[in-house]
């Protein structure tokens, strides 16, 4: 019941017209929790405990929202050239005019007041979405360089705060970026960009580089005439749904089958069951292995490891994590 109350507090916060301060609610929830713990075996104490959990869930969600919203682009630096150093954090996604990728900002090289008179600090959020265009755009010629996950780059970018359409029942692009902790979007300027390191060795970047290798292998092994179906294979293996062409994705959308292209319960369970059955089949036929560990336990362990590796390869999306 207390867990349900915490979840209800989180939901109540989402219904507020504006974000309230978190600390008064946290203080109130903490004060209510003290008598609830003292008389936890009596029904009044239990009732107060549920109320305290509701308020604490509300306060916790408010605090997390404050932290997320505080990581925002300075409005005075929208549309201005900013020099940043960071890492390509995700798989680059090609589109008709170039490529798009998430960029983890490590350092802002543009000093305040050096180019613009107001002297406001060029604060850039920790994670941004960048587009690198190819060809003519806005009267300027862009030359895009190939990028890979895990590379450290020094770039000159122009950014803006996330925004999208506010049509009722429509797709909320700003909320989608907020969920992914992307707090600014923009594009790479034509000023010379420099690759500073070929690979930054962190686990998440290593996984993204592995996913890139799998995607490139599909592109190299499958002929051009099978490209629409190659996109489906890429989506099923590494969770890259953008590899599916627009017309084909429209067909899936109209037939209500887009969920089959999202790696979640069905795909993870199939992979885990396949590896579990295979390891169990082999294990019970090798006496030395069967005496060291029961075949059922080995199969279960193999299935769990296979599921975990598949979820990592798929980008560790929330539906796959839940599975």
């Amino acid at each position: 019941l207390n867990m349900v109350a915490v979840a209800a507090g989180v939901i109540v916060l989402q219904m507020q017209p504006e974000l309230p301060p978190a600390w008064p609610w946290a203080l109130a929830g903490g004060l209510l929790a003290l008598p609830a713990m003292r008389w936890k075996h009596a029904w009044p104490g239990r009732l107060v405990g549920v109320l305290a959990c509701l308020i604490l869930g509300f306060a916790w969600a408010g605090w997390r929202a404050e932290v997320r919203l505080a990581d925002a682009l300075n409005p005075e630096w929208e549309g201005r050239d900013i020099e940043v150093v960071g890492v390509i954090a995700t798989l680059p996604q090609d589109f008709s005019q170039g490529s798009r990728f998430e960029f983890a900002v490590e350092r802002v090289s543009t000093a305040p007041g050096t180019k613009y008179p107001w002297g406001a600090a060029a604060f850039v959020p920790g994670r941004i979405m960048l587009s690198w265009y190819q060809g003519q755009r806005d009267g300027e010629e862009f030359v895009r360089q190939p990028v890979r996950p895990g590379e450290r780059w020094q770039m000159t970018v122009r950014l803006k705060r996330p925004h999208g359409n506010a049509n009722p029942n429509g797709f909320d692009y700003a909320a989608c970026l907020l969920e992914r902790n992307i707090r600014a979007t923009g594009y790479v300027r034509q000023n010379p960009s420099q690759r500073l390191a070929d690979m930054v060795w962190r686990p998440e970047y290593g996984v993204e580089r592995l996913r890139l290798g799998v995607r490139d292998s599909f592109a190299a092994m499958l002929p051009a005439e099978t490209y629409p179906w190659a996109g489906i294979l890429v989506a099923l293996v590494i969770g890259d749904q953008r590899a599916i062409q627009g017309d084909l994705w429209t067909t899936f959308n109209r037939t209500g089958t887009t969920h089959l292209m999202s790696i979640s319960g069905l795909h993870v369970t199939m992979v885990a069951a396949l590896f579990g059955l295979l390891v169990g089949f082999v294990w019970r036929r090798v006496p030395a292995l069967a005496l060291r560990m029961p075949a059922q336990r080995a199969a279960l362990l193999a299935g769990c490891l296979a599921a975990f590796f598949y979820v990592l390869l798929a980008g560790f999306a929330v539906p796959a994590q839940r599975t």
Side-chain angles (χ1 to χ4, degrees):
L1 194 59
N2 291 337
M3 294 173 64
V4 172
V6 171
V10 174
I11 294 174
V12 170
L13 180 77
Q14 314 307 317
M15 302 177 180
Q16 304 307 305
E18 59 184 18
L19 187 64
W23 69 267
W25 294 98
L27 180 61
L31 293 177
L32 283 176
L34 294 177
M37 295 174 61
R38 176 66 177 83
W39 294 288
K40 59 182 178 181
H41 297 296
W43 71 265
R46 294 180 182 178
L47 185 62
V48 173
V50 170
L51 181 61
C53 289
L54 177 72
I55 296 176
L56 288 174
F58 184 87
W60 178 80
W63 169 67
R64 293 299 303 158
E66 288 178 356
V67 172
R68 179 63 59 87
L69 294 176
D71 188 26
L73 177 69
N74 191 326
E76 295 181 341
W77 281 90
E78 282 191 302
R80 308 285 183 177
D81 286 353
I82 305 176
E83 192 173 286
V84 295
V85 175
V87 181
I88 311 297
T90 59
L91 277 176
Q93 303 294 335
D94 294 333
F95 60 99
S96 58
Q97 297 177 318
S99 64
R100 185 175 293 112
F101 50 87
E102 294 182 22
F103 192 71
V105 178
E106 296 178 329
R107 186 175 75 253
V108 179
S109 302
T110 301
T114 55
K115 292 185 179 180
Y116 303 107
W118 59 81
F123 176 78
V124 176
R127 201 172 187 91
I128 58 179
M129 177 77 75
L130 292 178
S131 298
W132 200 333
Y133 293 98
Q134 175 74 32
Q136 191 78 14
R137 184 177 185 271
D138 297 335
E140 186 177 358
E141 187 70 25
F142 284 80
V143 179
R144 176 177 61 91
Q145 300 184 41
V147 296
R148 297 181 297 171
E151 293 180 339
R152 178 178 283 120
W153 281 79
Q154 180 175 345
M155 299 176 171
T156 300
V157 300
R158 282 191 177 181
L159 302 174
K160 62 181 179 181
R161 289 174 294 176
H163 66 276
N165 296 329
N167 298 328
N169 302 318
F171 177 68
D172 193 337
Y173 181 64
C176 178
L177 294 179
L178 181 65
E179 292 172 1
R180 297 162 59 186
N181 199 21
I182 298 173
R183 303 296 295 130
T185 61
Y187 63 93
V188 180
R189 293 281 288 164
Q190 185 50 31
N191 294 4
S193 300
Q194 182 180 3
R195 183 188 289 109
L196 303 180
D198 185 66
M199 183 63 188
V200 177
W201 291 105
R202 292 180 57 180
E204 57 269 32
Y205 301 150
V207 171
E208 291 297 320
R209 183 66 68 91
L210 176 63
R211 298 178 69 210
L212 178 67
V214 174
R215 189 176 72 176
D216 290 346
S217 297
F218 273 102
M221 295 174 63
L222 296 176
E225 57 269 17
T226 65
Y227 180 75
W229 318 115
I232 295 177
L233 294 177
V234 170
L236 291 176
V237 173
I238 63 173
D240 185 12
Q241 299 179 14
R242 297 180 183 88
I244 301 176
Q245 289 186 343
D247 294 341
L248 195 57
W249 186 259
T250 301
T251 302
F252 290 145
N253 190 28
R254 290 178 176 176
T255 55
T257 54
T258 55
H259 64 282
L260 297 178
M261 301 298 111
S262 175
I263 296 178
S264 57
L266 175 66
H267 308 92
V268 176
T269 305
M270 287 175 59
V271 170
L274 178 63
F275 274 85
L277 290 172
L278 180 62
V279 170
F281 178 82
V282 174
W283 200 277
R284 62 174 48 92
R285 282 160 177 76
V286 180
L289 295 177
L291 290 173
R292 183 173 294 274
M293 179 186 292
Q296 296 91 335
R297 185 175 300 173
L300 178 62
L301 180 61
C304 291
L305 291 177
F308 180 72
F309 180 77
Y310 185 39
V311 169
L312 281 181
L313 193 63
F316 218 61
V318 173
Q321 292 181 44
R322 183 170 60 243
T323 301

